[in-house]
Amino acid sequence: MADIRAINVSVNGRAYTREVETRLTLVDFLRHELNLTGTHVGCEHGVCGACTVLVDGASARACLMLAVQCDGREVATVESLAEDGRLNPLQQAFQDHHGLQCGFCTPGILMTLTEFLRDHPDANEVEVREALTGHICRCTGYQGIVDAALAAAKRVRGSRS
Ligand code: FES
Ligand code: FES
């Protein structure tokens, strides 16, 4: 018999109470229970990074976490990034610098970079590339992604000064 638990979780600032199977992964919870399909599922083994979200502000592989582990916590997905229906500076930089092609890797990379640039607004190219080592992109060759991250960091620094 399935083991069911009740959880209370905040996702993108909205509170949810759900009864879930204890074996349900966070990524399946987001996609199938909450219909937040921006978070992608690739390898399901913690390798590709496509499922990356923020849990209490720290990046996490949603394929390796269980929904019950998020009880009482705050989750942010790629759907949280746009501001008033407009791309945020990081998303806009991806569009401007050809940081995506098929877009499969993009939501996870955006979430990792959201955390990274928040904590390292002065990052250089080497540091950005290190931050991206947990993500696999089969399309871009990464240069456009790095260019976008550096452009977004510059824009955020400018808006703070
Ligand atoms: S689907 Fe989670 S790391 Fe690949
Ligand atoms: S844009 Fe296609 S996998 Fe990265």
Side-chain angles (χ1 to χ4, degrees):
M1 204 172 83
D3 189 10
I4 307 284
R5 300 278 168 85
I7 61 170
N8 296 299
V9 56
S10 168
V11 180
N12 300 337
R14 183 173 163 188
Y16 295 89
T17 299
R18 289 286 192 281
E19 293 197 340
V20 298
E21 284 193 45
T22 52
R23 66 177 182 171
L24 183 70
T25 62
L26 174 58
V27 74
D28 283 346
F29 175 72
L30 293 169
R31 290 177 58 84
H32 302 311
E33 293 283 329
L34 304 187
N35 205 27
L36 294 170
T37 54
T39 303
H40 291 164
V41 191
C43 64
E44 298 185 75
H45 291 288
V47 176
C48 74
C51 65
T52 303
V53 297
L54 301 184
V55 178
D56 291 339
S59 56
R61 303 292 211 223
C63 71
L64 296 184
M65 280 193 82
L66 297 170
V68 291
Q69 290 178 286
C70 294
D71 186 26
R73 303 175 78 177
E74 293 187 8
V75 177
T77 72
V78 70
E79 285 92 346
S80 70
L81 297 185
E83 298 164 353
D84 297 326
R86 290 204 308 268
L87 301 180
N88 79 0
L90 180 60
Q91 292 171 306
Q92 187 61 55
F94 267 65
Q95 184 176 77
D96 295 344
H97 294 270
H98 308 291
L100 68 152
Q101 289 181 31
C102 80
F104 192 83
C105 67
T106 312
I109 288 177
L110 288 173
M111 299 316 288
T112 286
L113 287 175
T114 295
E115 176 194 34
F116 177 73
L117 295 177
R118 178 196 70 205
D119 296 341
H120 306 89
D122 299 317
N124 60 31
E125 178 169 346
V126 171
E127 292 164 333
V128 167
R129 287 184 180 277
E130 282 178 4
L132 293 170
T133 53
H135 292 271
I136 295 172
C137 175
R138 294 181 183 275
C139 304
T140 64
Y142 299 95
Q143 189 60 53
I145 296 171
V146 172
D147 290 346
L150 292 170
K154 191 173 173 185
R155 191 165 159 190
V156 169
R157 284 197 303 272
S159 69
R160 285 177 184 165
S161 59

